[in-house]
Amino acid sequence: MLAVHGGTPVLAPGALAPWPHVVEEDRRAVLRAMDEAVPWHWPMTAVRELEQAWGEACDMPYVVAANSGTAALHMAVAAAGVGPGDEVLVPADTFLASASCVLQANAIPVFVDTDLATFAMDPARIEERITARTRAIIAVDLNGLPADYDALAEVARRHGLVLIEDAAQSHGATYRGRPAGGLGDLSGSSLNGSKCLSALGEGGLFATRDEYQWRLARRVMMFGEELDGQGRDYNARMMGWNYRIDVLAAAFAGSQLSRLGEMTRQRIANGAALTAALDGVPGIRPPVVPPDRTHVYFFYPLLVRPEDLGAADIPVPVFRDAVERAVRAEGLGIMRWQPQPVPAQTLFQEMRGYGRGCPWTCGHADGPHRYRPEEYPVAEEICARRLVLGQTFSSLGPPNDEAVMLRVAEVFHKVLVDERDALLSMARADTVTAGR
């Protein structure tokens, strides 16, 4: 019997360890940074060490640590030279920060539909969105899987565009042997506590191969001031913010980074084990991993497919919600993520921006701009069908291992195979209740 109907759950509380995985080494690193931070100074040792280590990890010689991934992306857009009225191509299916960083430069996000297999920006759909005002492409390594960077770079080179990598979810992943964070001309990464590389709190990393871009990013990070190692002159050269990372967050992230390779290997093994164990389970599509890249499963995305169960009469959203409810009752954390494409969000539908419609109406943009969700049918389908495991609530990271993944797969076998009729009956009842 399904647990949602009173049966015994497959997983007991605590069957999956939460993320991040904190060890004694992390605690010592934070305490050491606390001792070294007095008297207060900037940048502190833990910050410099984190920047150096991330540069080595992603093969990017110039790194700036920031207080969030959102800040790091804003720094990347500014360093790329994006300004008022410029247009930047962004995937329609992503987190808001991939697009709002463009608005922070008073520039215009232009959305591109998604590849159904990889959840990344579809390279075949890019050129139809390029105009004379397009300045950059922001590619997103969604869920922990890098986008198709060689295809994206070819388009970028042909049109003279800067390629920015949003590597917020992909620390440790690779594309054709190259590390995430170093796959574009410059990149922004998140260190949010839930991420594969965690600061426990908040943090971010900007990275580039270009020294001038690095200097611009540092200005954005530090009130617009030029930092030359000789102390501050309190002279803002441009608009800047206070994006400095907290030293304790930097220390925790640096400690985690020293084990990123080991943690990544476990994530990859866990994802492969779970996908193998779900083979043949109908009604869901596990993530697809092209052979030229690795997936680190910040999220393990599943697309629900009631039609595969002979249940095309059940609307996809109703079936999705029934699966979510049933899986949760079995003790496994699962949720929806990004229930609509970013251009469907109120910010882009009402286009109020900073007020009075800026940046769309501030005289620099080439308008009028309108965001029509129906122009992104693949992103809409993904958002309608998607459920995710991962993050902090059902982590694929250590100390969870392949044996734990087999227990996770048992939940789906129970819900979609053993108790399939009960699930479909529940979903059909929900359909009637909803008046669909």
Side-chain angles (χ1 to χ4, degrees), residues 367-396:
H369 286 270
R370 291 291 181 270
Y371 296 100
R372 301 177 178 86
E374 63 271 16
E375 294 181 2
Y376 316 100
V378 178
E380 283 199 310
E381 180 178 2
I382 289 172
C383 290
R385 294 179 180 269
R386 176 172 51 208
L387 294 170
V388 297
L389 306 173
Q391 206 190 44
T392 61
F393 51 87
S394 49
S395 170
L396 272 72

Side-chain angles (χ1 to χ4, degrees), residues 76-158:
V77 169
V82 174
D86 290 339
E87 296 176 1
V88 178
L89 304 184
V90 181
D93 180 34
T94 184
F95 179 65
L96 175 65
S98 307
S100 62
C101 64
V102 179
L103 297 177
Q104 286 177 280
N106 285 292
I108 309 299
V110 174
F111 293 97
V112 178
D113 207 4
T114 307
D115 178 80
L116 185 60
T118 64
F119 299 88
M121 178 185 286
D122 186 348
R125 303 298 303 274
I126 292 177
E127 291 190 279
E128 65 191 47
R129 297 287 177 173
I130 293 175
T131 72
R133 290 177 173 264
T134 307
R135 176 63 69 90
I137 300 169
I138 295 180
V140 182
D141 304 338
L142 206 64
N143 304 310
L145 180 70
D148 188 352
Y149 279 92
D150 283 357
L152 295 171
E154 197 278 326
V155 175
R157 281 194 299 269
R158 193 161 61 247

Side-chain angles (χ1 to χ4, degrees), residues 33 36 53 64 87 127 174 219 246 299 310 313 418 434:
E36 293 175 350
V64 183
E87 296 176 1
E127 291 190 279
T174 59
R219 289 179 181 177
D246 178 82
F299 283 130
D313 59 307
D418 301 339

Side-chain angles (χ1 to χ4, degrees), residues 6-217:
T8 302
V10 172
L11 299 178
L16 273 75
W19 184 260
H21 179 42
V22 181
V23 300
E24 186 58 33
E25 182 182 347
D26 301 324
R27 297 182 177 91
R28 288 197 300 267
V30 172
L31 290 173
R32 183 168 59 251
M34 185 182 300
D35 291 338
E36 293 175 350
V38 180
W40 195 94
H41 56 283
W42 187 265
M44 298 181 189
T45 302
V47 176
R48 290 185 182 276
E49 290 176 346
L50 174 62
E51 290 173 339
Q52 180 178 350
W54 182 243
E56 293 171 356
C58 64
D59 195 25
M60 289 287 223
Y62 300 104
V63 175
V64 183
N67 58 14
S68 70
T70 301
L73 285 173
H74 179 199
M75 291 157 64
V77 169
V82 174
D86 290 339
E87 296 176 1
V88 178
L89 304 184
V90 181
D93 180 34
T94 184
F95 179 65
L96 175 65
S98 307
S100 62
C101 64
V102 179
L103 297 177
Q104 286 177 280
N106 285 292
I108 309 299
V110 174
F111 293 97
V112 178
D113 207 4
T114 307
D115 178 80
L116 185 60
T118 64
F119 299 88
M121 178 185 286
D122 186 348
R125 303 298 303 274
I126 292 177
E127 291 190 279
E128 65 191 47
R129 297 287 177 173
I130 293 175
T131 72
R133 290 177 173 264
T134 307
R135 176 63 69 90
I137 300 169
I138 295 180
V140 182
D141 304 338
L142 206 64
N143 304 310
L145 180 70
D148 188 352
Y149 279 92
D150 283 357
L152 295 171
E154 197 278 326
V155 175
R157 281 194 299 269
R158 193 161 61 247
H159 294 273
L161 307 177
V162 179
L163 180 56
I164 299 171
E165 179 187 7
D166 179 345
Q169 299 179 357
S170 61
H171 316 82
T174 59
Y175 171 83
R176 299 184 178 178
R178 308 194 301 270
L183 299 174
D185 297 315
L186 60 171
S187 68
S189 305
S190 172
L191 299 174
N192 170 273
S194 68
K195 295 301 194 297
C196 299
L197 178 59
S198 172
L200 195 59
E202 297 286 349
L205 293 162
F206 162 89
T208 181
R209 297 179 182 87
D210 184 280
E211 183 177 4
Y212 181 66
Q213 291 178 338
W214 173 71
R215 294 174 73 92
L216 288 177

